[in-house]
Amino acid sequence: MSTANPLSQLRDAIKAQLAGVNIIPDPSRDITITFRVSHAEKLRLESRCEGILQSDYIRARLFDYALPRRKTVMPVANREVRYHLKQIAANINQQSLDINQAVKQGLQPLNKDVKAYSQKLKAVEVLIKELRKQLDLTTLSSDSQDDAK
């Protein structure tokens, strides 16, 4: 007969049983589990899952997976501005390529006007990249401010 604490024996038995169970993420999830929560619990879950699927959050917490990264949500206006800036940058890049190709083929002499224009295109392209970064940072900083609340 053992004189060990029954609680520690139970704890050891559970640890031993769980040690043999390795839960590996399986992409084929075909079983649905439902459970009920109170209104307050639902609100708490929603606040914690903002930007993450609730099922992914619960699965990560339950099975000790890494928490998924929150998806940053960019305001529609920023998305549209970023999209148009990307189009403008693509057009500028195409102009630069065409100028360089014309100079290489001898179709366009490389005079000071062409050089100045190419430098202006590069400067505008740098500004556009900086604007896009600022839009991204604005989105990230507003997300981090929302997380702090």
Short mmCIF file of all heavy atoms in Angstrom, two decimals, residues 25-54:
data_model
loop_
_atom_site.label_atom_id
_atom_site.label_comp_id
_atom_site.label_asym_id
_atom_site.label_seq_id
_atom_site.Cartn_x
_atom_site.Cartn_y
_atom_site.Cartn_z
N PRO A 25 -1.53 19.38 -35.14
CA PRO A 25 -2.55 20.05 -35.96
C PRO A 25 -2.85 19.25 -37.22
O PRO A 25 -1.95 18.84 -37.94
CB PRO A 25 -1.91 21.40 -36.31
CG PRO A 25 -0.87 21.61 -35.29
CD PRO A 25 -0.39 20.24 -34.89
N ASP A 26 -4.11 19.01 -37.44
CA ASP A 26 -4.54 18.23 -38.60
C ASP A 26 -5.38 19.13 -39.50
O ASP A 26 -6.38 19.68 -39.04
CB ASP A 26 -5.35 17.03 -38.14
CG ASP A 26 -5.76 16.10 -39.26
OD1 ASP A 26 -5.32 16.32 -40.40
OD2 ASP A 26 -6.50 15.14 -38.99
N PRO A 27 -4.99 19.29 -40.77
CA PRO A 27 -5.75 20.18 -41.64
C PRO A 27 -7.15 19.68 -41.97
O PRO A 27 -8.02 20.45 -42.32
CB PRO A 27 -4.89 20.28 -42.89
CG PRO A 27 -4.06 19.05 -42.89
CD PRO A 27 -3.86 18.69 -41.44
N SER A 28 -7.38 18.38 -41.85
CA SER A 28 -8.71 17.86 -42.19
C SER A 28 -9.57 17.84 -40.93
O SER A 28 -9.58 16.88 -40.17
CB SER A 28 -8.60 16.45 -42.79
OG SER A 28 -8.04 15.57 -41.84
N ARG A 29 -10.26 18.91 -40.73
CA ARG A 29 -11.12 19.03 -39.55
C ARG A 29 -12.56 18.81 -39.99
O ARG A 29 -13.17 19.70 -40.58
CB ARG A 29 -10.93 20.40 -38.91
CG ARG A 29 -9.54 20.58 -38.36
CD ARG A 29 -9.42 21.89 -37.64
NE ARG A 29 -8.13 21.96 -36.98
CZ ARG A 29 -7.16 22.79 -37.34
NH1 ARG A 29 -7.36 23.65 -38.31
NH2 ARG A 29 -6.03 22.79 -36.69
N ASP A 30 -13.08 17.65 -39.68
CA ASP A 30 -14.42 17.33 -40.14
C ASP A 30 -15.40 17.09 -39.00
O ASP A 30 -16.52 16.66 -39.21
CB ASP A 30 -14.38 16.11 -41.07
CG ASP A 30 -13.70 14.91 -40.45
OD1 ASP A 30 -13.14 15.05 -39.35
OD2 ASP A 30 -13.73 13.84 -41.07
N ILE A 31 -14.99 17.36 -37.79
CA ILE A 31 -15.86 17.18 -36.62
C ILE A 31 -16.21 18.55 -36.06
O ILE A 31 -15.34 19.39 -35.86
CB ILE A 31 -15.17 16.33 -35.54
CG1 ILE A 31 -14.85 14.94 -36.10
CG2 ILE A 31 -16.04 16.22 -34.30
CD1 ILE A 31 -13.97 14.11 -35.20
N THR A 32 -17.49 18.76 -35.82
CA THR A 32 -17.95 20.03 -35.26
C THR A 32 -18.30 19.85 -33.80
O THR A 32 -18.98 18.89 -33.43
CB THR A 32 -19.21 20.52 -36.03
OG1 THR A 32 -18.88 20.65 -37.40
CG2 THR A 32 -19.70 21.84 -35.47
N ILE A 33 -17.83 20.77 -32.97
CA ILE A 33 -18.15 20.76 -31.55
C ILE A 33 -18.83 22.09 -31.24
O ILE A 33 -18.33 23.15 -31.59
CB ILE A 33 -16.87 20.62 -30.68
CG1 ILE A 33 -16.19 19.29 -30.97
CG2 ILE A 33 -17.20 20.76 -29.21
CD1 ILE A 33 -14.87 19.10 -30.27
N THR A 34 -19.96 22.01 -30.59
CA THR A 34 -20.67 23.24 -30.20
C THR A 34 -20.80 23.27 -28.68
O THR A 34 -20.87 22.23 -28.03
CB THR A 34 -22.07 23.31 -30.83
OG1 THR A 34 -22.81 22.16 -30.43
CG2 THR A 34 -21.99 23.35 -32.34
N PHE A 35 -20.81 24.46 -28.14
CA PHE A 35 -21.02 24.62 -26.71
C PHE A 35 -21.67 25.97 -26.46
O PHE A 35 -21.57 26.87 -27.28
CB PHE A 35 -19.71 24.45 -25.91
CG PHE A 35 -18.64 25.43 -26.27
CD1 PHE A 35 -18.45 26.59 -25.52
CD2 PHE A 35 -17.81 25.20 -27.35
CE1 PHE A 35 -17.45 27.48 -25.84
CE2 PHE A 35 -16.80 26.09 -27.67
CZ PHE A 35 -16.62 27.24 -26.92
N ARG A 36 -22.29 26.08 -25.33
CA ARG A 36 -23.01 27.29 -24.99
C ARG A 36 -22.16 28.16 -24.05
O ARG A 36 -21.42 27.66 -23.23
CB ARG A 36 -24.34 26.96 -24.31
CG ARG A 36 -25.29 26.25 -25.24
CD ARG A 36 -26.62 26.00 -24.53
NE ARG A 36 -27.53 25.30 -25.40
CZ ARG A 36 -28.30 25.89 -26.30
NH1 ARG A 36 -28.30 27.21 -26.41
NH2 ARG A 36 -29.11 25.19 -27.06
N VAL A 37 -22.32 29.47 -24.22
CA VAL A 37 -21.64 30.44 -23.36
C VAL A 37 -22.64 31.52 -22.98
O VAL A 37 -23.68 31.67 -23.62
CB VAL A 37 -20.42 31.09 -24.07
CG1 VAL A 37 -19.33 30.07 -24.33
CG2 VAL A 37 -20.83 31.77 -25.35
N SER A 38 -22.31 32.25 -21.95
CA SER A 38 -23.17 33.37 -21.55
C SER A 38 -22.89 34.55 -22.48
O SER A 38 -21.91 34.56 -23.23
CB SER A 38 -22.88 33.76 -20.10
OG SER A 38 -21.59 34.35 -20.01
N HIS A 39 -23.75 35.55 -22.38
CA HIS A 39 -23.57 36.76 -23.20
C HIS A 39 -22.23 37.43 -22.88
O HIS A 39 -21.50 37.84 -23.77
CB HIS A 39 -24.74 37.72 -22.97
CG HIS A 39 -24.68 38.95 -23.83
ND1 HIS A 39 -24.88 38.92 -25.19
CD2 HIS A 39 -24.41 40.24 -23.50
CE1 HIS A 39 -24.74 40.14 -25.67
NE2 HIS A 39 -24.46 40.97 -24.67
N ALA A 40 -21.90 37.50 -21.59
CA ALA A 40 -20.64 38.12 -21.17
C ALA A 40 -19.44 37.33 -21.70
O ALA A 40 -18.45 37.91 -22.15
CB ALA A 40 -20.58 38.21 -19.65
N GLU A 41 -19.54 35.99 -21.66
CA GLU A 41 -18.44 35.16 -22.17
C GLU A 41 -18.27 35.34 -23.67
O GLU A 41 -17.16 35.40 -24.18
CB GLU A 41 -18.69 33.68 -21.85
CG GLU A 41 -18.58 33.35 -20.38
CD GLU A 41 -19.09 31.96 -20.05
OE1 GLU A 41 -19.98 31.44 -20.75
OE2 GLU A 41 -18.58 31.39 -19.06
N LYS A 42 -19.39 35.46 -24.38
CA LYS A 42 -19.33 35.67 -25.83
C LYS A 42 -18.64 37.00 -26.16
O LYS A 42 -17.79 37.07 -27.04
CB LYS A 42 -20.73 35.63 -26.44
CG LYS A 42 -20.74 35.78 -27.95
CD LYS A 42 -22.15 35.63 -28.49
CE LYS A 42 -22.31 35.67 -29.97
NZ LYS A 42 -21.34 36.29 -30.78
N LEU A 43 -19.01 38.05 -25.43
CA LEU A 43 -18.38 39.36 -25.65
C LEU A 43 -16.88 39.30 -25.35
O LEU A 43 -16.07 39.87 -26.08
CB LEU A 43 -19.05 40.43 -24.79
CG LEU A 43 -20.48 40.81 -25.16
CD1 LEU A 43 -21.07 41.79 -24.15
CD2 LEU A 43 -20.53 41.39 -26.56
N ARG A 44 -16.52 38.60 -24.28
CA ARG A 44 -15.10 38.47 -23.93
C ARG A 44 -14.35 37.71 -25.02
O ARG A 44 -13.24 38.09 -25.41
CB ARG A 44 -14.99 37.75 -22.59
CG ARG A 44 -13.60 37.67 -22.06
CD ARG A 44 -13.61 37.09 -20.67
NE ARG A 44 -12.26 36.86 -20.22
CZ ARG A 44 -11.94 36.17 -19.17
NH1 ARG A 44 -12.89 35.65 -18.41
NH2 ARG A 44 -10.69 36.00 -18.82
N LEU A 45 -14.94 36.63 -25.52
CA LEU A 45 -14.31 35.85 -26.59
C LEU A 45 -14.15 36.70 -27.85
O LEU A 45 -13.09 36.70 -28.48
CB LEU A 45 -15.13 34.60 -26.89
CG LEU A 45 -14.62 33.70 -28.00
CD1 LEU A 45 -13.26 33.11 -27.62
CD2 LEU A 45 -15.61 32.59 -28.29
N GLU A 46 -15.20 37.44 -28.21
CA GLU A 46 -15.13 38.28 -29.40
C GLU A 46 -14.05 39.35 -29.28
O GLU A 46 -13.34 39.64 -30.23
CB GLU A 46 -16.49 38.93 -29.68
CG GLU A 46 -17.51 37.95 -30.21
CD GLU A 46 -18.90 38.55 -30.34
OE1 GLU A 46 -19.13 39.67 -29.81
OE2 GLU A 46 -19.77 37.89 -30.93
N SER A 47 -13.91 39.93 -28.08
CA SER A 47 -12.89 40.97 -27.90
C SER A 47 -11.48 40.37 -28.01
O SER A 47 -10.58 41.00 -28.54
CB SER A 47 -13.06 41.69 -26.57
OG SER A 47 -12.71 40.85 -25.50
N ARG A 48 -11.30 39.16 -27.52
CA ARG A 48 -9.99 38.51 -27.62
C ARG A 48 -9.69 38.02 -29.02
O ARG A 48 -8.53 37.88 -29.39
CB ARG A 48 -9.90 37.34 -26.65
CG ARG A 48 -9.83 37.77 -25.22
CD ARG A 48 -9.64 36.59 -24.32
NE ARG A 48 -9.53 37.03 -22.95
CZ ARG A 48 -9.06 36.26 -21.98
NH1 ARG A 48 -8.67 35.04 -22.25
NH2 ARG A 48 -8.98 36.72 -20.77
N CYS A 49 -10.72 37.73 -29.79
CA CYS A 49 -10.53 37.15 -31.12
C CYS A 49 -10.54 38.18 -32.24
O CYS A 49 -10.54 37.80 -33.40
CB CYS A 49 -11.63 36.12 -31.40
SG CYS A 49 -11.54 34.68 -30.37
N GLU A 50 -10.57 39.44 -31.92
CA GLU A 50 -10.64 40.46 -32.95
C GLU A 50 -9.47 40.31 -33.93
O GLU A 50 -8.31 40.35 -33.54
CB GLU A 50 -10.63 41.85 -32.32
CG GLU A 50 -11.08 42.93 -33.27
CD GLU A 50 -11.30 44.24 -32.54
OE1 GLU A 50 -11.79 44.21 -31.40
OE2 GLU A 50 -10.99 45.28 -33.14
N GLY A 51 -9.80 40.04 -35.19
CA GLY A 51 -8.77 39.83 -36.20
C GLY A 51 -8.32 38.38 -36.33
O GLY A 51 -7.46 38.06 -37.13
N ILE A 52 -8.89 37.50 -35.50
CA ILE A 52 -8.55 36.07 -35.52
C ILE A 52 -9.86 35.29 -35.56
O ILE A 52 -10.83 35.67 -34.89
CB ILE A 52 -7.76 35.66 -34.26
CG1 ILE A 52 -6.49 36.46 -34.11
CG2 ILE A 52 -7.44 34.18 -34.27
CD1 ILE A 52 -5.75 36.22 -32.80
N LEU A 53 -9.89 34.21 -36.29
CA LEU A 53 -11.08 33.36 -36.28
C LEU A 53 -11.26 32.77 -34.88
O LEU A 53 -10.29 32.34 -34.25
CB LEU A 53 -10.95 32.22 -37.28
CG LEU A 53 -10.96 32.59 -38.76
CD1 LEU A 53 -10.69 31.36 -39.62
CD2 LEU A 53 -12.30 33.19 -39.13
N GLN A 54 -12.50 32.76 -34.40
CA GLN A 54 -12.75 32.24 -33.06
C GLN A 54 -12.30 30.79 -32.92
O GLN A 54 -11.72 30.41 -31.91
CB GLN A 54 -14.23 32.38 -32.70
CG GLN A 54 -14.65 33.79 -32.42
CD GLN A 54 -16.11 33.90 -32.02
OE1 GLN A 54 -16.80 32.90 -31.87
NE2 GLN A 54 -16.57 35.13 -31.85
#
